[in-house]
Amino acid sequence: MFKALMEDVQAVFERDPAARSKIEVLLCYPGVHAVALHRLAHALWRRGWHLGARFLSHLNRFLTGIEIHPGAKIGRRFFIDHGMGVVIGETAEIGDDVTIYQGVTLGGVSLGKGKRHPTIEDGVVIGAGAAVLGPFTVGKGARIGSNAVVVKEVPPGVTVVGIPAKPVGPQPVAEGERAFPAYGTWPGVAADPVSRALERVCLQLEELQARVEELERREADAPRPRRRVGS
């Protein structure tokens, strides 16, 4: 468990330029505290000590503002940046080198007892306020923009944004690459593709309206032919 904690601390230095020392990270990063306490709670949960595990996760929520069910499976070098309001459900599974920001929900939409929460594969980045809802997979290296609502599978390496989330283009990830765009998207690709399409339609309508008005003015200004008076 100590080795896992040190890996989590090192992950902070790789993904947060504000980190200055290991002592600062250990004392002042609630995401690191939340993951460390979860690893202990998950160990209790696996041994069948469910009440103790739930109580420890409840204490974790009280101390950090981050709610992780002790049944959730979390991989190595998991980084929760800022963290307040993060919710991770019981059957969620998170791979290695995953980063999520404040307000993220990994939730379920079913009342069944089976798999209800998403599986997040290695290297995924989930932006602030995003909700990933359902028992599907978010593929390796995918990027989820801030405030997106994801309700279906995301292919590996794809960036999705919007409500409901839609792809805005591939995001290739080299083997072993750790660099990523903060909050899941590079500048200029965070707009909802549906909103951008509507903006283009509105611009075209404005252009058409201007052309119609110009044609009407020309018609109004054009000299009219004189009518002949009958003899």
Side-chain angles (χ1 to χ4, degrees):
M1 187 168 291
F2 178 77
K3 180 181 178 181
L5 177 61
M6 290 299 98
E7 285 187 336
D8 293 338
V9 169
Q10 185 58 37
V12 174
F13 284 99
E14 294 173 356
R15 304 177 215 172
D16 184 3
R20 291 176 174 81
S21 69
K22 290 183 178 180
I23 294 297
E24 178 188 14
V25 171
L26 286 170
L27 294 178
C28 304
Y29 275 70
V32 173
H33 305 156
V35 173
L37 287 172
H38 169 74
R39 296 195 194 283
L40 180 57
H42 184 65
L44 296 177
W45 184 267
R46 291 179 59 189
R47 286 167 173 77
W49 300 346
H50 292 168
L51 179 59
R54 286 302 303 269
F55 180 77
L56 184 56
S57 69
H58 180 70
L59 180 63
N60 191 358
R61 178 176 181 266
F62 176 77
L63 294 173
T64 66
I66 297 169
E67 182 173 342
I68 310 175
H69 192 283
K73 298 177 182 178
I74 293 178
R76 299 166 60 188
R77 298 178 296 276
F78 178 47
F79 180 34
I80 303 175
D81 201 357
H82 305 298
M84 182 63 70
V86 166
V87 177
I88 300 175
E90 177 186 5
T91 62
E93 299 177 58
I94 300 174
D96 298 337
D97 302 306
V98 171
T99 304
I100 67 176
Y101 289 84
Q102 67 272 16
V104 166
T105 298
L106 304 183
V109 293
S110 168
L111 299 180
K113 295 294 186 180
K115 175 71 169 171
R116 308 186 304 280
H117 303 90
T119 295
I120 311 298
E121 293 189 340
D122 298 350
V124 171
V125 180
I126 305 178
V132 187
L133 307 174
F136 52 83
T137 298
V138 177
K140 181 178 179 180
R143 307 294 187 244
I144 297 174
S146 296
N147 297 315
V149 177
V150 185
V151 293
K152 62 182 180 180
E153 185 168 335
V154 179
V158 169
T159 297
V160 297
V161 300
I163 304 174
K166 296 179 177 61
V168 293
Q171 181 73 43
V173 179
E175 189 68 28
E177 180 183 2
R178 297 286 181 84
F180 62 89
Y183 295 93
T185 52
W186 296 109
V189 298
D192 185 341
V194 174
S195 298
R196 290 193 289 182
L198 289 174
E199 288 176 1
R200 289 195 296 269
V201 170
C202 290
L203 288 173
Q204 290 174 350
L205 287 174
E206 290 177 1
E207 292 174 358
L208 288 173
Q209 183 177 4
R211 290 178 63 184
V212 169
E213 291 174 353
E214 178 64 23
L215 290 173
E216 289 176 345
R217 282 196 299 270
R218 290 183 182 180
E219 183 179 1
D221 295 340
R224 298 182 180 275
R226 294 183 180 181
R227 298 178 61 184
R228 293 183 178 181
V229 179
S231 55

